[in-house]
Amino acid sequence: MEGVDHLAFERNKAQFDVDEMKIVWAGSREDFELSDRISRLVASDPVFRKDDRAALGRKELFKNTLRKAAHAWKRVIELRLSGEFSALEPEAYKLRAFVDQPAFTDLHWGMFVPAIQGQGTDEQQQKWLPLAYRMQIIGCYAQTELGHGSNVQGLETTATFDPKTDEFVIHSPTLTSSKWWPGGLGKVSTHAVVYARLIIDGQDYGVHGFIVQLRSLDDHLPLPGITIGDIGMKFGNAAYNTMDNGVLTFDHVRIPRNQMLMRVSQVTREGKYVHSNVPRQLVYGTMVYVRQKIVADASVALSRAVCIATRYSAVRRQFGSHNGGLETQVIDYKTQQSRLFPLLASAYAFRFVGEWLLWLYTDVTERLKAKDFSTLPEAHACTAGLKSLTTTATADGIEECRKLCGGHGYLCSSGLPELFAVYVPACTYEGDNIVLLLQVARHLVKTVSQLSTGNKPVGTTAYMARLEQLLQYHSDVKKAEDWLKPNVVLEAFEARAARMCVACAQNLSKFSNPEEGFQELAADLVEAAVAHCQLIVVSNVYALSLLHKHLGDFISTGCIDPKQGSLANEQLRNLYSQVRPNAVALVDAYNYTDHYLGSILGRYDGNVYPKLYEEAWKDPLNDSIVPDGFKEYIQPLLKQQLRNARL
Ligand SMILES: CCCCCCCCC/C=C/C(=O)SCCNC(=O)CCNC(=O)[C@H](O)C(C)(C)COP(=O)(O)OP(=O)(O)OC[C@H]1O[C@@H](n2cnc3c(N)ncnc32)[C@H](O)[C@@H]1OP(=O)(O)O
Ligand SMILES: Cc1cc2nc3c(=O)[nH]c(=O)nc-3n(C[C@H](O)[C@H](O)[C@H](O)COP(=O)(O)OP(=O)(O)OC[C@H]3O[C@@H](n4cnc5c(N)ncnc54)[C@H](O)[C@@H]3O)c2cc1C
């Protein structure tokens, strides 16, 4: 019935203060109040209606997204939420609070602006950022090409310096050099940060960033030499098709020399290449920034799916009725708990490790200003590794939440198919997850190899300094509750990671050609990198479900024995029993509106069945009792069958 809270009995079981947990989840009372205010404004604004997306064609879907993004920006200004008034969160996130579907603004604010902030000189920032902040230009991040995405050093677009005119000539020499994938590029962006090979006097200086105008600010037509369009439909129906991922080719397009982003390297008027003594990888800085943002994104996406699956698992009853009584809530089945509660814990874990990663990123950014590059490798390894770990776990977790909701999880009205379709490219964009884990593996192998030179590992590899101890380590767990001691869990995860890293390093040393060895052992190296990244999350939060899932590693590396493994599993079951009465309250703490969740199964009031039934009739297929096509195709069939039957 309307207005009844069908989950009140669950909420009354909570053993903690949900309002306090809402502040913890939001990060601060200020952040909570802002996000709460925005989400309620959005839910009550008809422009942000999203229950019609599944029925729209691509062009209407896209136009609708433009309308929403424009309205969102207008509201951000009206509510004085823009950066000038509230530095609480970069615009990208405030706008995404309004338009929670992929839109060009993600890339304008999420990549184009950060690229200029991170790689532009002060003069270039003074010129371009005010235009970008006021959205008088709209930008995208054009790095990936048809032929290369992971291998940035393999990009083929060229930027050739012409000393006669003091310009760069941007050109696409091959079909595979076509820029391909950049979000916002296909139909909206007026400018791009384009990554191209810098060529001076025939010499190739590698990949650098260039600001290039793509379209006229008068009639939005592509400028001379620019061919540009959308790359076509992507996975899912609505999903990422609200975004104009584009294709772009250059036919000798000229830009002024001062549009090469020159914070890291410069080209003088005479055509001299100047590379100040900073790591060339600073040109990758925008990717590092977004990877750390993607970890926070993972906690949001996973928590949305977990919220839906938890509330529905508390509403759904199946089997177990005695003498006509109520059937059992599926959330009471241990199998449902063993699949759902680790994801509930993961959402919180990723939320907290995302906060830590933001601290790490901010710290390395401050250090870079002082030309202190000492923590750059750690920042790269952590952002790459945690982006990979959290996006893989989240994509798998959203799919698991769909399955936890049975058949109804497969309905668009559950919100889960759309959430999955929008989320899964996160395992690929901003760096393919395997490619990034291999970067982590390189960092770990390098750390282990430097131990013998007395190099003291720092940061997240500091545990490697205790290698001898960790190689001798065997857990002294005797009873299940021993696994509740954080240091007991931490030592097991440290020992597992250390042993897997050392095993890889030892196997690598058998190869005369280190690179050949690295390729041969790549699969083992990826597993060692996963073990290291899970340790980072564990040392910030949770663990036992991971230990149970990866029990093979822990036993094969000798860190624990089978008995201790089964004690960990016993303790896990005990923890599930402790989580059970708090499950609905823990997902209420995310403070998501029904509008934001977009899920009938995840409704706050748990009033699922009447709303599911009501929603079905809205489908356009139900506009007519007899469906289009019946008279042309099916009726003749039936009549023919009827005739055959009478013969
Ligand atoms: C609001 C938000 C909305 C967010 C909204 C998000 C929407 C989605 C938008 C998506 C956008 C995109 O996908 S944008 C495109 C994303 N593309 C990618 O991520 C490409 C992934 N590939 C790469 O990053 C690179 O190719 C990589 C794999 C690292 C290899 O690079 P290289 O070949 O240049 O380097 P290597 O030879 O491997 O390593 C040389 C050394 O450089 C170091 N190194 C490598 N990368 C480094 C880095 N980034 N920072 C520091 N150091 C680095 C290595 O550790 C080595 O150190 P030593 O060992 O000490 O020498
Ligand atoms: C939705 C979406 C949005 C995007 N937005 C943008 C954007 O705004 N701007 C932009 O510039 N790009 C964007 N991209 C492109 C994205 O960054 C690339 O697709 C991504 O970096 C992966 O590169 P790739 O496509 O070349 O994959 P590939 O590297 O070709 O991957 C194919 C397979 O090869 C494997 N592989 C590759 N190299 C190695 C190796 N050395 N060792 C082992 N295995 C390897 C990978 O693991 C993978 O299994 C977007 C992509 C998507 C899907």
Side-chain angles (χ1 to χ4, degrees):
M1 293 79 82
E2 290 291 346
V4 171
D5 179 358
H6 297 266
L7 286 170
F9 70 101
E10 282 291 340
R11 295 182 166 111
N12 294 335
K13 295 176 188 170
Q15 297 160 338
F16 66 93
D17 182 332
V18 178
D19 291 333
E20 281 308 309
M21 187 61 94
K22 286 180 180 177
I23 305 293
V24 170
W25 177 262
S28 69
R29 182 169 297 283
E30 203 177 32
D31 283 344
F32 167 75
E33 284 163 2
L34 177 65
S35 58
D36 187 59
R37 179 178 167 216
I38 292 179
S39 60
R40 292 183 192 295
L41 282 169
V42 172
S44 59
D45 188 332
V47 171
F48 297 117
R49 176 188 171 207
K50 58 186 190 179
D51 56 0
D52 59 352
R53 262 187 301 200
L56 294 176
R58 177 85 197 278
K59 289 173 77 171
E60 298 83 359
L61 185 70
F62 186 69
K63 184 178 178 182
N64 201 30
T65 307
L66 299 186
R67 182 171 65 94
K68 287 182 179 181
H71 183 64
W73 181 240
K74 185 165 144 291
R75 295 294 285 140
V76 162
I77 299 296
E78 283 166 359
L79 296 167
R80 302 167 68 83
L81 292 174
S82 76
E84 297 153 75
F85 309 110
S86 148
L88 269 183
E89 258 295 347
E91 267 60 21
Y93 275 75
K94 278 180 231 138
L95 281 165
R96 295 178 97 198
F98 282 88
V99 186
D100 77 307
Q101 61 193 74
F104 67 91
T105 39
D106 284 349
L107 284 306
H108 173 78
W109 291 106
M111 295 202 78
F112 179 72
V113 166
I116 297 172
Q117 288 169 330
Q119 297 159 47
T121 61
D122 293 347
E123 297 73 26
Q124 289 172 325
Q125 293 192 40
Q126 281 152 23
K127 173 180 179 183
W128 292 99
L129 289 180
L131 296 170
Y133 286 154
R134 290 194 291 268
M135 292 192 81
Q136 289 167 326
I137 60 174
I138 296 174
C140 63
Y141 184 89
Q143 176 178 292
T144 302
E145 296 173 354
L146 193 56
H148 293 92
S150 291
N151 180 10
V152 179
Q153 289 311 313
L155 294 178
E156 297 175 85
T157 302
T158 55
T160 306
F161 181 61
D162 180 349
K164 289 191 294 302
T165 61
D166 198 24
E167 293 170 319
F168 290 107
V169 179
I170 311 291
H171 184 59
S172 305
T174 59
L175 173 70
T176 49
S177 69
S178 308
K179 290 301 176 186
W180 188 275
W181 272 114
L185 171 69
K187 290 296 173 192
V188 179
S189 291
T190 60
H191 289 71
V193 171
V194 175
Y195 286 83
R197 315 199 68 80
L198 172 62
I199 311 284
I200 305 173
D201 207 9
Q203 186 172 344
D204 183 336
Y205 289 88
V207 172
H208 293 71
F210 301 83
I211 298 175
V212 184
Q213 182 169 350
L214 307 173
R215 291 182 166 94
S216 155
L217 293 176
D218 298 325
D219 57 16
H220 204 59
L221 292 178
L223 295 180
I226 301 258
T227 304
I228 195 167
D230 184 89
I231 61 173
M233 284 291 277
K234 295 159 290 241
F235 187 99
N237 189 357
Y240 228 92
N241 292 305
T242 57
M243 173 77 81
D244 53 330
N245 297 91
V247 49
L248 162 66
T249 61
F250 299 100
D251 179 4
H252 300 93
V253 173
R254 289 179 171 271
I255 62 171
R257 177 170 56 88
N258 67 8
Q259 286 184 209
M260 170 178 151
L261 294 174
M262 294 205 199
R263 177 175 291 275
V264 177
S265 315
Q266 299 82 39
V267 174
T268 66
R269 174 65 192 86
E270 298 70 35
K272 186 170 176 303
Y273 181 71
V274 178
H275 182 72
S276 31
N277 59 341
V278 292
R280 72 171 172 83
Q281 282 77 20
L282 288 182
V283 80
Y284 294 162
T286 309
M287 293 186 278
V288 176
Y289 163 74
V290 180
R291 287 170 189 155
Q292 62 89 18
K293 279 293 181 189
I294 286 174
V295 173
D297 280 0
S299 67
V300 171
L302 185 56
S303 58
R304 287 173 77 166
V306 164
C307 185
I308 293 167
T310 300
R311 287 177 176 167
Y312 181 65
S313 297
V315 167
R316 184 70 169 178
R317 291 174 181 273
Q318 205 69 195
F319 297 111
S321 164
H322 300 294
N323 312 322
L326 285 175
E327 291 182 73
T328 301
Q329 289 170 277
V330 297
I331 199 170
D332 284 333
Y333 290 121
K334 280 296 180 190
T335 48
Q336 192 85 353
Q337 293 178 9
S338 68
R339 292 158 63 198
L340 178 59
F341 292 167
L343 297 177
L344 175 55
S346 300
Y348 275 93
F350 295 170
R351 175 77 184 85
F352 300 137
V353 82
E355 282 295 304
W356 170 79
L357 196 59
L358 174 60
W359 166 82
L360 180 74
Y361 177 78
T362 310
D363 178 70
V364 78
T365 306
E366 286 311 305
R367 289 168 182 264
L368 291 183
K369 286 176 187 164
K371 297 242 185 280
D372 168 1
F373 307 113
S374 58
T375 59
L376 194 59
E378 161 92 342
H380 170 46
C382 287
T383 49
L386 290 172
K387 180 269 179 187
S388 178
L389 186 82
T390 57
T391 54
T392 296
T394 297
D396 295 347
I398 296 170
E399 167 59 1
E400 189 61 26
C401 285
R402 179 190 67 78
K403 289 186 278 191
L404 281 160
C405 294
H408 304 340
Y410 194 62
L411 284 168
C412 282
S413 60
S414 76
L416 290 164
E418 171 79 1
L419 180 57
F420 180 78
V422 167
Y423 188 78
V424 288
C427 298
T428 306
Y429 62 56
E430 284 311 341
D432 166 84
N433 281 355
I434 294 299
V435 168
L436 294 182
L437 285 173
L438 288 168
Q439 286 288 308
V440 178
R442 285 184 189 278
H443 179 61
L444 294 174
V445 166
K446 190 172 180 181
T447 302
V448 171
S449 66
Q450 289 175 345
L451 290 175
S452 53
T453 62
N455 191 35
K456 198 169 174 339
V458 292
T460 54
T461 56
Y463 66 99
M464 297 273 198
R466 292 182 283 112
L467 207 48
E468 283 319 306
Q469 174 206 339
L470 291 171
L471 294 177
Q472 306 305 319
Y473 166 87
H474 184 85
S475 174
D476 55 8
V477 159
K478 302 275 185 301
K479 50 189 185 309
E481 48 272 31
D482 289 345
W483 281 115
L484 287 179
K485 297 170 191 161
N487 65 309
V488 168
V489 173
L490 200 51
E491 281 176 344
F493 272 77
E494 287 178 340
R496 169 216 185 194
R499 291 181 185 189
M500 290 174 78
C501 292
V502 167
C504 285
Q506 286 166 346
N507 289 336
L508 276 170
S509 63
K510 296 170 188 163
F511 287 81
S512 54
N513 176 330
E515 194 46 38
E516 194 183 290
F518 195 89
Q519 293 307 331
E520 179 61 25
L521 296 170
D524 298 347
L525 285 159
V526 161
E527 287 178 7
V530 169
H532 173 73
C533 295
Q534 287 178 341
L535 169 61
I536 298 172
V537 183
V538 159
S539 50
N540 281 282
V541 190
Y542 83 118
L544 287 189
S545 61
L546 278 188
L547 189 145
H548 177 66
K549 185 175 175 184
H550 297 271
L551 196 53
D553 289 348
F554 287 91
I555 291 177
S556 65
T557 53
C559 303
I560 68 174
D561 58 41
K563 169 73 180 145
Q564 292 168 323
S566 64
L567 287 173
N569 197 26
E570 180 188 329
Q571 186 50 47
L572 204 47
R573 284 197 304 276
N574 298 339
L575 287 174
Y576 293 156
S577 306
Q578 293 174 46
V579 168
R580 169 63 188 89
N582 297 292
V584 171
L586 281 167
V587 300
D588 285 350
Y590 302 146
N591 197 43
Y592 293 148
T593 60
D594 284 351
H595 172 271
Y596 181 69
L597 279 181
S599 166
I600 287 177
L601 304 188
R603 289 172 60 90
Y604 183 85
D605 65 6
N607 187 27
V608 172
Y609 294 137
K611 291 299 180 185
L612 266 187
Y613 188 81
E614 186 184 303
E615 189 68 17
W617 300 104
K618 294 177 186 170
D619 189 281
L621 208 53
N622 290 320
D623 289 352
S624 63
I625 303 291
V626 177
D628 292 352
F630 175 78
K631 288 191 168 51
E632 296 93 312
Y633 307 111
I634 305 303
Q635 201 154 42
L637 207 66
L638 291 172
K639 284 185 174 158
Q640 181 58 49
Q641 294 305 326
L642 213 54
R643 279 194 294 277
N644 292 349
R646 285 185 190 137
L647 291 178

